[in-house]
Amino acid sequence: MAAAAALARLEQKQPRARGPTSQESIRSQVRKELQAEATVSGSPEAPGTNPVPKPKEEGSTHLAVPGVYFTCPLTGAILRKDQRDACIREAILSHFSTDPVAASIMKIHTFNKDRDRVKLGVDTIARYLDNIHLHPDEEKYRKIKLQNKVFQERINCLEGTHEFFEAIGFQKVLLPIPDQEGPEEFYVLSEAALAQPQSLEQHKEQLLRAEPVRATLARQRRVFRPSPLASQFDLPADFFSLTAEELKREQRLRSEAVERLSVLRTKAMREREEQREMRKYTYTLLRVRFPDGCLLQGTFYARERVAALYAFVREALLIDWLPFELLALGGQKLLEDENLAFNECGLVPSALLTFSWDAAVLADIRAAGAQPDSSVLKPELLSAIKKL
């Protein structure tokens, strides 16, 4: 639309030359592409894309979803984005009272954000424990000098490491140093811990295999009755990487740039720009329309793979073992085994898809003289169905 407006203004301001010029031919090509796109899509949007909804103010009663929420894997609590870190930190700290080894490992991997530094520290701790396992009778391997340069640079700088040493049986002890005036602090493995080498080996493997504790994105699964509003999405600001104010400014600047440069933009250039636009979105809201018109809605990361949507739909099916297909706008088939993210398929920040049983399955059902059941969702989901 902006390109069409810019063309109209240019034609009013600049009289046409007697013969065709390169600028005139470019304008003609742009005009043809705009008309072709409008004809294919039936709207001013580009073909194969979803209309980009504007972020709504929080608290609006017409939002397609109230916001983006997460689930704490330790407590099951549902959290807003700004609550995640504090809740996980509190849950890990409270875990020390029941399992100090597991809690200290979670603290090491979660509280320290530099993954390279964490790996270096964890590998160093594992080497200490390997030496004890390989040389159980040598006392020097059961002592770790806290002021040692390696310990200070690789371990002492990480949160949770001291708690881990103490949880697996090390104790802080002041020991005299030959030819030195005062004693120094060491971690010394207790006799009780030394008598259980298998436990030390298990704790080491647990430390090496651990991953950061992260809140998982809540799908917020909802089922709606058939509705003519199925393709309309009013999204909260959570769905946009930029704040609402930043997004408005970005849209204004982009509109101005489009008006200035639309004459010179080719279709390939516009497609590249659309891909850059897609990277602005962190989340996407997807709806799947079933044969009976009912809608299944869920929230996903924009960079999640199509397979995640197939798994989400399969969990909601009454018969979950039959193969099915998901079709995007324009009939584009999304393949479950194709390693594409939603933003690579143009399914951000929202999209409506259509569910269909696999063509071979439908043929077999009809060959048997039957018709596929139009209602395919689990009864417990249909019992909570809402109006969109």
Side-chain angles (χ1 to χ4, degrees):
M1 291 172 69
L7 283 171
R9 284 198 296 276
L10 283 167
E11 288 174 351
Q12 289 175 358
K13 293 178 181 178
Q14 298 178 6
R16 292 195 175 188
R18 292 180 179 178
T21 64
S22 59
Q23 289 291 325
E24 193 172 1
S25 62
I26 292 173
R27 285 200 295 272
S28 176
Q29 180 62 28
V30 171
R31 189 184 301 106
K32 288 178 183 178
E33 289 183 11
L34 288 169
Q35 291 171 349
E37 290 175 2
T39 302
V40 172
S41 64
S43 73
E45 299 292 338
T49 63
N50 300 296
V52 178
K54 296 179 181 179
K56 295 286 183 178
E57 294 297 327
E58 193 170 346
S60 170
T61 57
H62 300 294
L63 290 174
V65 67
V68 176
Y69 290 87
F70 300 84
T71 303
C72 175
L74 301 178
T75 65
I78 302 298
L79 312 166
R80 291 297 300 264
K81 186 176 180 179
D82 56 355
Q83 298 172 324
R84 291 178 299 176
D85 291 346
C87 178
I88 289 175
R89 175 176 284 270
E90 183 179 345
I92 290 174
L93 294 178
S94 66
H95 203 64
F96 273 97
S97 60
T98 55
D99 190 345
V101 175
S104 61
I105 290 173
M106 287 189 286
K107 186 174 182 180
I108 290 170
H109 283 278
T110 307
F111 288 18
N112 302 288
K113 304 305 181 184
D114 188 333
R115 299 304 303 157
D116 291 336
R117 179 166 285 189
V118 169
K119 186 180 186 309
L120 183 61
V122 165
D123 288 345
T124 304
I125 294 173
R127 199 172 301 120
Y128 284 141
L129 299 181
D130 281 338
N131 286 335
I132 294 172
H133 181 73
L134 294 172
H135 311 282
D137 298 326
E138 294 194 36
E139 184 181 356
K140 66 177 182 179
Y141 291 116
R142 303 200 299 266
K143 297 187 296 184
I144 302 172
K145 185 179 179 181
L146 269 64
Q147 293 303 316
N148 177 276
K149 183 180 179 182
V150 171
F151 186 91
Q152 286 292 317
E153 292 180 352
R154 300 184 183 182
I155 297 174
N156 189 60
C157 59
L158 298 177
E159 288 191 68
T161 50
H162 288 280
E163 290 93 330
F164 176 76
F165 278 112
E166 292 169 9
I168 65 175
F170 281 88
Q171 299 170 339
K172 283 184 179 179
V173 179
L174 286 171
L175 296 177
I177 304 296
D179 302 325
Q180 186 172 311
E181 186 174 336
E184 286 204 28
E185 199 169 28
F186 285 77
Y187 269 133
V188 179
L189 187 65
S190 66
E191 291 296 331
L194 185 62
Q196 297 179 326
Q198 290 183 343
S199 293
L200 285 178
E201 189 67 14
Q202 289 173 358
H203 297 329
K204 182 197 77 174
E205 292 300 325
Q206 189 179 355
L207 176 66
L208 289 170
R209 290 195 309 266
E211 295 288 338
V213 179
R214 297 282 184 259
T216 57
L217 181 65
R219 294 292 187 213
Q220 299 185 79
R221 183 174 61 191
R222 300 177 72 184
V223 178
F224 298 107
R225 294 187 180 90
S227 170
L229 304 177
S231 61
Q232 295 184 18
F233 295 86
D234 290 332
L235 300 178
D238 292 359
F239 274 76
F240 301 85
S241 299
L242 304 175
T243 65
E245 199 59 39
E246 288 171 334
L247 193 66
K248 288 177 184 175
R249 180 176 176 274
E250 184 76 18
Q251 288 173 335
R252 178 176 57 78
L253 293 175
R254 180 168 175 258
S255 296
E256 293 173 357
V258 166
E259 289 193 19
R260 287 196 305 269
L261 303 176
S262 59
V263 179
L264 302 177
R265 292 165 70 236
T266 65
K267 186 174 182 179
M269 291 168 64
R270 289 200 301 277
E271 288 173 352
R272 286 196 296 271
E273 184 173 304
E274 286 167 7
Q275 286 300 316
R276 287 195 295 272
E277 289 294 307
M278 293 299 110
R279 289 194 286 270
K280 288 182 180 177
Y281 305 113
T282 306
Y283 312 100
T284 184
L285 188 68
L286 301 178
R287 288 183 188 144
V288 177
R289 180 158 46 201
F290 290 89
D292 60 356
C294 289
L295 302 163
L296 176 68
Q297 176 178 286
T299 303
F300 298 82
Y301 284 109
R303 295 180 183 272
E304 279 190 85
R305 304 297 166 183
V306 170
L309 178 60
Y310 269 86
F312 175 72
V313 172
R314 191 171 285 113
E315 289 174 0
L317 296 179
L318 184 60
I319 304 174
D320 60 4
W321 53 270
L322 284 177
F324 61 89
E325 298 173 346
L326 295 176
L327 306 176
L329 288 176
Q332 175 198 356
K333 185 187 297 185
L334 300 179
L335 300 179
E336 182 175 6
D337 57 354
E338 195 168 9
N339 193 30
L340 285 177
F342 296 125
N343 60 354
E344 294 173 322
C345 302
L347 301 179
V348 293
S350 59
L352 173 66
L353 302 103
T354 301
F355 173 97
S356 174
W357 290 118
D358 181 80
V361 171
L362 286 176
D364 290 342
I365 293 174
R366 287 168 181 150
Q371 288 296 325
D373 192 346
S374 61
S375 180
V376 298
L377 295 175
K378 292 178 179 177
E380 58 266 30
L381 295 179
L382 293 175
S383 65
I385 197 167
K386 298 182 181 298
K387 181 181 178 182
L388 185 60

